[in-house]
Amino acid sequence: MSERLSPLPMTTIVTTDLIGVTRGRSFPTDELDAYQVAGCGWVPANSALTPQDIIASSNPWGAYGDLRLIPDLSSRVTVNNGPDADAPALDFIHGDIRETDGRPWGACPRTLLRNEVERYRDELGLQINAAFEHEFNLDSGAAEHLAFSLEAQRQGAEFGGWLLSALRAGGVEPEMFLPEYGKHQYEITCRPALGVAAADRAVNVREITREIARQMGLSLSFAPKTAEHAVCNGVHLHVSLQDMAGQPMMYDAGTANGLSSLGQHWAAGVLHYLPALCAFTAPTPVSYERLQPHHWSASYACLGQRNREAALRICPTVSLGGKSVAMQYNLEFRAMDATASPHLAMAALLIAGRLGIEQRLALNAITDEIPDSLNEEQRHARGIVALPASLSRALDCLRNSEALIEALPSALLDTYFALKTEELTLTEQLSPADLCEHYARLY
Ligand code: GLU
Ligand code: MG
């Protein structure tokens, strides 16, 4: 009698693409050695997929070309079990897209981020410690609960417990699972990581959260706005710059808001390029249903201390218990949502901050008031500009930003403009309510 079959454990090499979707190919885990050096095959036009699953017609690749997805073994994530005891293990490794001869491929977002992280190290002597916070909607079919309530926490407790357990097993270092302001809305936060690992970690959070929801049969969405009157889901990116020994470089106890002169130039760069950066950090039509005043997201390019309507927020530090303020001090970028590629968005943000440092840009756009409550003259005096009101406006800002266009590989830009143009056409007939529903299903 032949041996009874059982499913083979599989490992997947993944790339998280320009639209923040994680894709890849799987092989039997016991054959991992054979894939370590040359990875698996990949197709250039995959990078031109819109969220609507249609390959952008004017993309630079068409039917041609072949690539390799090379695994970065240090980034492997393994979660062996979960609420569904029969579900296969989740086992994936982040990869970089390369040409078949090993040269880096210009449109790979993870390579872009790695290159930028290396530039910070080589040219500025800095490393980047960063963490992405994620909000999402989890519909368990249970009754709606009150914001931040213990009842809400208890409704999500089984999911949250499994999520924390799986994140910890996957090496993601979870911090908190909390009920948010919206109906069926929760948030998950994790400890920061250095450089590329921070963006990998954002992907790990999204994929592990989806995995737990799938195993429990729950519907989940990270989309920026899931219904016309829903509270929005943000992704907030916390950044602190450190020297290569891990000492904080953004903090100076001698300044009014604690921001060092390096931190000020960095923040000025981010704010200066923010309207164009939105094309990467708020990259879908529905992102602009969220980026509006009084959403605690961001609608103007300004920095505020503990101000949740500011695009860049100086986060609270705690001196209780003798904690070091300098080690906690960080800037939170709030004009981002989960339709963004973590690698691409983080790379673009770092490029903008580096340009601010190189050009020694002055930081004027500061307000602790709600930017919308200032009048036009007051905003103008401080150089506070409104963020683009739509994706097409953000793409125009990017097209007109010579410095960002020059800093980004043309292969990546050509692909990005092609797919975002296609996405705009595919969604142009949708009302705001339909847009919310449409993207709630996709992300
Ligand atoms: N939900 C808000 C957003 O869309 C953020 C609320 C908060 O500060 O946690 O970004
Ligand atoms: Mg929150």
Side-chain angles (χ1 to χ4, degrees), residues 345-392:
M346 181 171 162
L349 188 76
L350 292 179
I351 290 170
R354 172 172 55 75
L355 292 172
I357 295 172
E358 287 170 4
Q359 297 163 4
R360 307 193 69 73
L361 292 183
L363 178 62
N364 300 318
I366 304 179
T367 179
D368 286 330
E369 285 155 276
I370 301 303
D372 195 45
S373 69
L374 301 172
N375 63 39
E376 203 43 60
E377 206 177 306
Q378 290 168 316
R379 281 197 294 266
H380 186 74
R382 291 181 226 182
I384 298 176
V385 299
L387 298 188
S390 67
L391 175 59
S392 60

Side-chain angles (χ1 to χ4, degrees), residues 22 115 148 206 226 318 321 390:
T22 302
N115 289 344
F148 315 115
R206 295 178 195 181
T226 54
V318 177
S390 67

Side-chain angles (χ1 to χ4, degrees), residues 93-417:
I93 309 175
H94 295 275
D96 291 336
I97 310 176
R98 292 182 173 268
E99 306 278 0
T100 48
D101 62 6
R103 278 175 301 137
W105 189 55
C108 170
R110 195 167 185 267
T111 304
L112 177 75
L113 177 57
R114 166 160 315 97
N115 289 344
E116 189 55 31
V117 166
E118 286 173 1
R119 249 181 119 157
Y120 268 72
R121 181 195 63 200
D122 298 342
E123 294 173 18
L124 303 170
L126 295 172
Q127 64 183 19
I128 300 105
N129 200 30
F132 292 74
E133 289 174 356
H134 286 85
E135 294 170 333
F136 58 91
N137 288 92
L138 177 75
D139 199 347
S140 58
E144 290 180 348
H145 51 59
L146 296 179
F148 315 115
S149 64
L150 180 61
E151 191 193 351
Q153 169 68 35
R154 295 302 298 156
Q155 275 180 13
E158 192 184 350
F159 176 87
W162 276 112
L163 177 59
L164 291 173
S165 169
L167 288 169
R168 190 182 273 178
V172 182
E173 300 186 291
E175 269 177 349
M176 288 230 170
F177 172 76
L178 54 132
E180 256 289 352
Y181 180 49
K183 302 299 174 204
H184 304 297
Q185 190 189 29
Y186 293 89
E187 173 168 329
I188 180 79
T189 66
C190 293
R191 301 217 154 76
L194 290 177
V196 176
D200 289 350
R201 186 165 275 192
V203 172
N204 301 344
V205 167
R206 295 178 195 181
E207 293 309 320
I208 292 173
T209 308
R210 290 188 175 113
E211 176 70 19
I212 300 301
R214 191 159 43 231
Q215 289 192 25
M216 293 181 71
L218 301 175
S219 104
L220 175 112
S221 180
F222 287 101
K225 197 169 191 182
T226 54
E228 199 177 5
H229 300 292
V231 174
C232 296
N233 291 318
V235 172
H236 303 161
L237 174 53
H238 294 256
V239 175
S240 72
L241 301 179
Q242 305 178 337
D243 69 13
M244 296 310 291
Q247 287 308 306
M249 298 296 287
M250 271 179 164
Y251 182 67
D252 179 349
T255 64
N257 55 17
L259 203 52
S260 66
S261 77
L262 177 88
Q264 290 182 33
H265 293 315
W266 190 85
V270 169
L271 295 177
H272 178 74
Y273 293 103
L274 184 51
L277 283 182
C278 285
F280 298 119
T281 63
T284 51
V286 74
S287 299
Y288 296 85
E289 300 298 318
R290 169 177 173 262
L291 284 193
Q292 294 189 5
H294 313 295
H295 280 55
W296 288 19
S297 56
S299 46
Y300 290 89
C302 61
L303 174 125
Q305 187 148 24
R306 302 186 175 199
N307 180 351
R308 288 185 178 78
E309 285 277 322
L312 209 49
R313 183 173 75 120
I314 299 176
C315 285
T317 49
V318 177
S319 49
L320 271 170
K323 285 191 174 200
S324 155
V325 169
M327 290 305 285
Q328 297 166 61
Y329 193 85
N330 70 85
L331 293 181
E332 177 189 44
F333 180 80
R334 298 172 68 85
M336 192 185 310
D337 65 65
T339 61
S341 148
H343 298 87
L344 177 57
M346 181 171 162
L349 188 76
L350 292 179
I351 290 170
R354 172 172 55 75
L355 292 172
I357 295 172
E358 287 170 4
Q359 297 163 4
R360 307 193 69 73
L361 292 183
L363 178 62
N364 300 318
I366 304 179
T367 179
D368 286 330
E369 285 155 276
I370 301 303
D372 195 45
S373 69
L374 301 172
N375 63 39
E376 203 43 60
E377 206 177 306
Q378 290 168 316
R379 281 197 294 266
H380 186 74
R382 291 181 226 182
I384 298 176
V385 299
L387 298 188
S390 67
L391 175 59
S392 60
R393 298 269 287 275
L395 290 167
D396 286 341
C397 294
L398 177 59
R399 277 189 197 94
N400 294 330
S401 174
E402 259 176 54
L404 284 183
I405 294 289
E406 202 178 299
L408 291 160
S410 57
L412 185 147
L413 282 172
D414 291 349
T415 314
Y416 199 72
F417 281 123

